[in-house]
Amino acid sequence: INGCNGFLVQADYITIKGFNIIGPSPIPSFNYPPGACADWIRAGIHTHWGYNIFENNEISNIDYGIILRNREGEAHTGELSPPSDGYNLIKNNYIHDTQGSGIRVKRTNYNIIDSNTISNSPLSFGGFCKDSTGKVLWKAGDFDDCASVLLYAEASITFYCLEGLEITNNVLKNPSYGMLITELDAVTRPTKHSGTPPSMAPDQQATGCPLTT
């Protein structure tokens, strides 16, 4: 692929099996304007829906391997909403050479991540950078030229604001981090140019996020 998502799944009960999804080589800069891709992010497989099976695929050279997100809210209105039930299965995929997380699960419950191999996901942080002119880019790595950053943490498997997620029998190779659990969607972080303190953490009741246990 030479654009945004390999598959943007906008329905329930879809099976994607046996595909080799390859992004541009070399991977283009992680810096791109918000809105350049549907739901902001480039991914091999991306869905807000449920009861889907993503199995036996190879995904490489892209920002994210597979992203699962909640059904309502952000997909339609741009607003945060409580987690919705997903019941998706991610199984036996080989995901490698991504800039962000191999698998990212956000605000969607009761999904299964089983027997995947994820390798070479080196990024530990990405975020929306607003520079001194007000221009916003999605960036990775060096944020020193940003006035403020809406920061996202990354790992081989990243998940947050959910419950009932099963992670079994996965192999993680050469990661910066293995698995990351975070209570927050994002945190606005100051940079040396801003002179302002970081934002307060989002209110758990307002965002509808269950606390991870």
Side-chain angles (χ1 to χ4, degrees), residues 26-100:
I27 305 176
S29 171
F30 209 40
N31 303 348
Y32 55 92
C37 293
D39 285 335
W40 313 99
I41 300 300
R42 293 183 289 225
I45 301 173
H46 194 164
T47 190
H48 284 267
W49 296 73
Y51 304 95
N52 298 302
I53 299 173
F54 307 138
E55 183 178 15
N56 294 335
N57 301 287
E58 181 175 350
I59 302 172
S60 62
N61 288 85
I62 197 164
D63 293 346
Y64 292 88
I66 298 174
I67 297 179
L68 306 181
R69 300 171 74 179
N70 71 325
R71 184 179 296 268
E72 301 296 337
E74 293 167 293
H76 308 289
T77 67
E79 299 296 327
L80 293 178
S81 63
S84 58
D85 291 348
Y87 292 101
N88 296 287
L89 172 63
I90 300 174
K91 185 173 183 179
N92 287 332
N93 298 282
Y94 176 35
I95 302 171
H96 59 97
D97 297 293
T98 59
Q99 295 212 64

Side-chain angles (χ1 to χ4, degrees), residues 28-211:
S29 171
F30 209 40
N31 303 348
Y32 55 92
C37 293
D39 285 335
W40 313 99
I41 300 300
R42 293 183 289 225
I45 301 173
H46 194 164
T47 190
H48 284 267
W49 296 73
Y51 304 95
N52 298 302
I53 299 173
F54 307 138
E55 183 178 15
N56 294 335
N57 301 287
E58 181 175 350
I59 302 172
S60 62
N61 288 85
I62 197 164
D63 293 346
Y64 292 88
I66 298 174
I67 297 179
L68 306 181
R69 300 171 74 179
N70 71 325
R71 184 179 296 268
E72 301 296 337
E74 293 167 293
H76 308 289
T77 67
E79 299 296 327
L80 293 178
S81 63
S84 58
D85 291 348
Y87 292 101
N88 296 287
L89 172 63
I90 300 174
K91 185 173 183 179
N92 287 332
N93 298 282
Y94 176 35
I95 302 171
H96 59 97
D97 297 293
T98 59
Q99 295 212 64
S101 302
I103 299 173
R104 189 176 184 89
V105 185
K106 173 181 179 180
R107 295 177 170 271
T108 171
N109 299 327
Y110 307 114
N111 298 285
I112 298 174
I113 301 173
D114 179 55
S115 300
N116 302 279
T117 298
I118 302 172
S119 67
N120 297 324
S121 51
L123 182 65
S124 57
F125 289 103
F128 291 108
C129 163
K130 179 180 288 187
D131 66 18
S132 58
T133 68
K135 184 178 180 181
V136 179
L137 289 174
W138 175 256
K139 291 194 66 175
D142 184 5
F143 299 106
D144 283 346
D145 59 345
C146 303
S148 65
V149 179
L150 185 64
L151 193 64
Y152 286 78
E154 305 292 348
S156 296
I157 301 174
T158 303
F159 53 98
Y160 50 99
C161 193
L162 53 79
E163 60 187 10
L165 177 64
E166 295 183 24
I167 302 176
T168 55
N169 303 315
N170 297 278
V171 177
L172 311 179
K173 298 180 178 180
N174 302 321
S176 291
Y177 297 98
M179 291 185 288
L180 177 69
I181 309 171
T182 178
E183 308 289 358
L184 310 178
D185 279 306
V187 174
T188 303
R189 192 190 79 172
T191 65
K192 65 182 182 182
H193 301 294
S194 67
T196 59
S199 66
M200 297 299 292
D203 179 78
Q204 187 267 332
Q205 288 186 334
T207 59
C209 290
L211 295 178

